[in-house]
Amino acid sequence: MTTVNLIGLVSREMEATASDVPLYRRLKSAIEAAIRSNALKAGAVLPGERVLAEALSISRVTVRKALALLEEEGQLNRRHGSKTEIGSRVEKSLSTLTSFSEDILARGLKPGCLWLSKQISRPSPAEMMALGIAANTNVIRMRRVRTADGAPIAVEVSAVPVRFLPSPEMVQDSLYEALDACGFLPQRAIQRMRSRGASLEDARHLHCEMGAPLLMTERRCFLADGQIVEYCETRYKGDVYDFVFELQR
């Protein structure tokens, strides 16, 4: 999007916001709207503070406050002496069962993965308990780094009993596509979430500092008849992934 088009879009969004809303919040909301509509995609560069202030006839202080809030929420990446870029935060709803690839595509990004290992193995104690299987049952264990537009945002370890997935080579980019092709697409899941600091290995794969905050999920996926088809542990970069809850009374 050109600077002229962006300024026009932001200006119209600001005009549509109630006049009693502080100006910096109107600007923040206008930029958020451009991000949500994918008019501003992840990695896109925003015009500088001076350009925005002059084009919108507002003060640089107002622009700076709006951008600071967006940066605080992870929607912008700003570095001293560098350009301001749209961040690559991904929203994940916890009310629906979707794959990583589906989440990333819905954000307008390209999903991908870097395989660390794919193998047939005996289950670990945690996998035995989560999948409800015996120690002599083989599982397909897959370790990979999940990416969005090439940027690493999660480390994932999945285990699937071989009766549902005979060979690890059947999985290319999407495990759910492979399970669907075998007639074993998960229909529901139970997921728990907690925080943890990045280990040395996590930091290397996710390009973050050791000890950086991660969101860790453990998920058991079920077939319609109640069989447990997958156990998955995923560690997400806390600064790029948001989990969204819908609550009703």
Side-chain angles (χ1 to χ4, degrees):
M1 172 173 281
T2 66
T3 298
V4 173
N5 289 339
L6 173 62
I7 294 297
L9 174 61
V10 170
S11 179
R12 289 191 296 273
E13 289 289 342
M14 290 180 68
E15 291 173 358
T17 306
S19 59
D20 59 343
V21 176
L23 199 53
Y24 73 95
R25 289 200 172 274
R26 289 163 62 187
L27 175 56
K28 173 181 178 290
S29 296
I31 295 175
E32 285 177 322
I35 294 172
R36 285 195 304 271
S37 68
N38 278 330
L40 282 174
K41 297 183 180 293
V45 177
L46 277 183
E49 289 180 3
R50 180 182 59 79
V51 174
L52 286 172
E54 291 180 356
L56 297 169
S57 300
I58 57 180
S59 72
R60 291 186 65 174
V61 173
T62 296
V63 174
R64 192 172 299 125
K65 287 179 69 175
L67 298 185
L69 285 176
L70 290 166
E71 180 185 18
E72 183 179 328
E73 295 176 1
Q75 298 189 72
L76 294 182
N77 295 324
R78 305 175 75 202
R79 296 178 178 82
H80 183 69
S82 300
K83 297 177 180 178
T84 300
E85 295 183 349
I86 304 302
S88 57
R89 295 190 76 90
V90 176
E91 287 191 354
K92 165 66 176 175
S93 171
L94 294 181
S95 62
T96 55
L97 176 57
T98 55
S99 69
F100 177 91
S101 297
E102 290 170 331
D103 294 337
I104 298 303
L105 287 170
R107 184 65 176 82
L109 305 175
K110 181 180 179 180
C113 72
L114 302 172
W115 284 104
L116 302 176
S117 63
K118 283 192 290 187
Q119 60 186 11
I120 296 178
S121 176
R122 296 297 192 191
S124 68
E127 291 166 347
M128 288 170 53
M129 182 174 296
L131 293 168
I133 56 177
N136 62 353
T137 303
N138 284 338
V139 297
I140 306 293
R141 186 181 300 113
M142 294 153 283
R143 299 179 67 249
R144 52 186 168 169
V145 178
R146 308 306 302 263
T147 64
D149 279 357
I153 65 174
V155 176
E156 179 182 274
V157 181
S158 296
V160 177
V162 292
R163 70 176 183 273
F164 301 122
L165 190 69
S167 169
E169 301 311 314
M170 297 178 68
V171 182
Q172 299 303 314
D173 290 332
S174 173
L175 170 59
Y176 278 23
E177 285 184 4
L179 288 172
D180 193 17
C182 294
F184 298 116
L185 182 66
Q187 298 301 309
R188 67 181 182 91
I190 295 175
Q191 181 167 284
R192 61 186 296 179
M193 179 172 27
R194 62 179 184 270
S195 63
R196 61 167 284 177
S199 66
L200 181 60
E201 182 181 12
D202 292 330
R204 185 170 69 251
H205 292 317
L206 296 175
H207 302 173
C208 63
E209 297 292 330
M210 185 176 175
L214 303 180
L215 290 171
M216 183 172 132
T217 64
E218 295 175 347
R219 182 162 73 175
R220 292 191 300 156
C221 295
F222 298 80
L223 300 179
D225 63 3
Q227 293 185 84
I228 306 172
V229 66
E230 180 203 11
Y231 171 64
C232 180
E233 179 188 296
T234 309
R235 298 184 293 280
Y236 299 92
K237 289 183 72 174
D239 60 348
V240 299
Y241 222 91
D242 288 330
F243 287 89
V244 181
F245 301 78
E246 179 178 350
L247 305 177
Q248 296 184 6
R249 184 178 295 277

